[in-house]
Amino acid sequence: MTTKAQLIAVTIDCADPKRLAEFYATVLGYEVQYAEATYAGIGDGTTSIYFQQNLDRKPADWPGADKQFHLDVRVPDLDKAVQDYLELGATKPDFQPGEGGWVVLADPEGHLFCVCPPRD
């Protein structure tokens, strides 16, 4: 039997951990739990996301094969959320795949995330 692990956090490489922590804390409604120049963390008491400085990281081309992960977030009002996140510093790539009703955005450092509408 394989030992089962409990996922406690996801860590994202970035150039400016404090800035990215503030961005995602605002988007997700999480608290910034820790923030310094090289490492920051946010969470809601159950889920945590950490941001670790990596000055050599380069955003993957989109669309492209170098993308390694992306976050999906569900929102009550898709158009409003996209507008809010763009005002926070996200960008909207020209390429938008599929017809699923979601919008692909890139955070201020180029990490992709999908903004998904409410379920019917």
Side-chain angles (χ1 to χ4, degrees), residues 1-2 4 7 10 17 21 23 27 29-30 39 42 50 59 69 71 74 94 98 108 110 112:
M1 178 174 186
T2 302
K4 302 296 181 206
L7 180 66
V10 173
F23 175 84
V27 168
Y30 286 11
Y39 196 76
I42 65 171
Y50 300 120
F69 76 94
L71 302 176
R74 187 168 308 285
D94 291 334
L112 298 171

Side-chain angles (χ1 to χ4, degrees), residues 93-114:
D94 291 334
F95 179 72
Q96 295 291 314
E99 297 179 15
W102 67 88
V103 175
V104 176
L105 295 180
D107 71 23
E109 292 205 14
H111 300 99
L112 298 171
F113 66 104
C114 292

